[in-house]
Every structure is written in structure tokens, then in C-alpha cells.
């Protein structure tokens, strides 16, 4: 992971955005699992990111993807996701590259937003799905203590 020289303003707004970003309902099916499509994930998270002066920039590079969380102050955090291209039946190399890039973009976008993009297929995962709070639901504002309460602690 790389960052700009400072990230104070980015972190401050990112923490605020995190209070409004939630796992999304899965709208697509893969090979034995369900996931949130990239277009839905971007559609549902972009307004919150923009509200807090944040944006995600993704650029394909050889064998991978660079994803950068940027702040209006010019601060940024960058990560690189790389992987070997695999052969998939009935797909030419360009289709495989496109599929891989979309897969990388979806996982990187979800990771940056701090949300899950697909079912947890880990052997230790709960047998029943846990309810997911939809982003459309009202958000509870964090509760802060005042100076008098702080002095009592």
C-alpha cells in the first residue's frame, strides 16, 4: 500500500463515510455463490464517497489493477491487486482479461469501502445468512460524550 505524504484529511472523511457504508444485497450469482455486481456497488457507494469528498480511481496495469482512494485535499491511498491470468473454457484471452479486471475491480472497490461483495464461503461461516442493512435505511449518528462526561471518567 502506498499513500500521499499526509492522509489526515482523507482519514477524517473516510471514517465519517464508513458510518454510512454497509454491505449490499447480493444481486448476481456466480459459480456456487452470490455477489453484488460492480455496477450496483458503485451506484450505491459513490454518493456516500462524494458526500465526504472521496472518490475511487481504478486503473488497469499489466496483470492487475491499481485502485486509489482519493480525497479532495489531494491526499490518497493506493493499493495494487495482481494475479496470473488463467484459462477459462469458452473464453478468448481478451474475455478472460476483461473478466479478471472486473473481478479485481469489484473486490478492490468493496475492500476500499469496507463492505463485503460476496457470500462468505469460508468453512467456518455461519450456516444461515445474517441480515444485511441496506444503504437506503436511515443511519444512526454516532453518540459522543461531552466535556463534563469525559471528566467523570
Amino acid at each position: 500500500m502506498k499513500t500521499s505524504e499526509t492522509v489526515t484529511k482523507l482519514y477524517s472523511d473516510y471514517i465519517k463515510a464508513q458510518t454510512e457504508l454497509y454491505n449490499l444485497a447480493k444481486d448476481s450469482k456466480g459459480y456456487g455463490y452470490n455477489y453484488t455486481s460492480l455496477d450496483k456497488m458503485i451506484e450505491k457507494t459513490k454518493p456516500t464517497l462524494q458526500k465526504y469528498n472521496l472518490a475511487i480511481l481504478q486503473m488497469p496495469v499489466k496483470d492487475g489493477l491499481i485502485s486509489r482512494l482519493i480525497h479532495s485535499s489531494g491526499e490518497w491511498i493506493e493499493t495494487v491487486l495482481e494475479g496470473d491470468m488463467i484459462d477459462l473454457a469458452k473464453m478468448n484471452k481478451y474475455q478472460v482479461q476483461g473478466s479478471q479486471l472486473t473481478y479485481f475491480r469489484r473486490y478492490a472497490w468493496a475492500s476500499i469501502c469496507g463492505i463485503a461483495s460476496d457470500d462468505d464461503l469460508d468453512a467456518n461461516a455461519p450456516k444461515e445468512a445474517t441480515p444485511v442493512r441496506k444503504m437506503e435505511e436511515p443511519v444512526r449518528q454516532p453518540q459522543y460524550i461531552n466535556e463534563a462526561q469525559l471528566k467523570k471518567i
Side-chain angles (χ1 to χ4, degrees):
M1 181 174 83
K2 296 179 184 178
T3 68
S4 56
E5 193 171 311
T6 64
V7 290
T8 308
K9 293 174 185 169
L10 182 149
Y11 281 170
S12 177
D13 280 347
Y14 180 75
I15 289 167
K16 293 172 190 169
Q18 284 292 289
T19 66
E20 297 180 28
L21 292 170
Y22 297 94
N23 294 342
L24 302 170
K26 312 306 182 244
D27 66 336
S28 301
K29 292 188 182 294
Y31 297 100
Y33 65 99
N34 298 316
Y35 64 95
T36 306
S37 61
L38 178 62
D39 59 331
K40 181 178 179 184
M41 193 179 318
I42 291 171
E43 174 191 336
K44 296 295 184 183
T45 58
K46 206 174 196 180
T48 301
L49 293 171
Q50 290 173 338
K51 178 179 175 181
Y52 293 102
N53 305 306
L54 300 166
I56 297 173
L57 175 65
Q58 295 184 308
M59 300 164 285
V61 293
K62 185 179 180 187
D63 299 326
L65 177 77
I66 294 175
S67 295
R68 184 177 277 197
L69 176 65
I70 56 177
H71 187 264
S72 61
S73 67
E75 296 176 340
W76 54 270
I77 299 172
E78 178 182 282
T79 187
V80 178
L81 187 56
E82 296 176 322
D84 295 328
M85 192 164 56
I86 59 170
D87 289 325
L88 295 174
K90 300 178 184 177
M91 293 179 84
N92 66 43
K93 68 179 183 177
Y94 302 108
Q95 291 170 317
V96 171
Q97 286 174 329
S99 293
Q100 181 178 359
L101 184 58
T102 300
Y103 186 86
F104 282 178
R105 288 188 66 207
R106 185 168 54 85
Y107 272 88
W109 192 285
S111 179
I112 289 169
C113 290
I115 60 176
S117 66
D118 58 13
D119 292 337
D120 184 356
L121 299 178
D122 187 307
N124 297 323
K127 299 293 182 211
E128 294 181 23
T130 54
V132 175
R133 183 173 173 188
K134 294 181 181 177
M135 290 186 65
E136 292 81 10
E137 293 178 18
V139 177
R140 292 185 193 153
Q141 294 300 318
Q143 300 295 317
Y144 300 100
I145 62 173
N146 60 35
E147 288 289 325
Q149 292 170 322
L150 182 61
K151 288 179 183 178
K152 289 181 182 179
I153 295 179

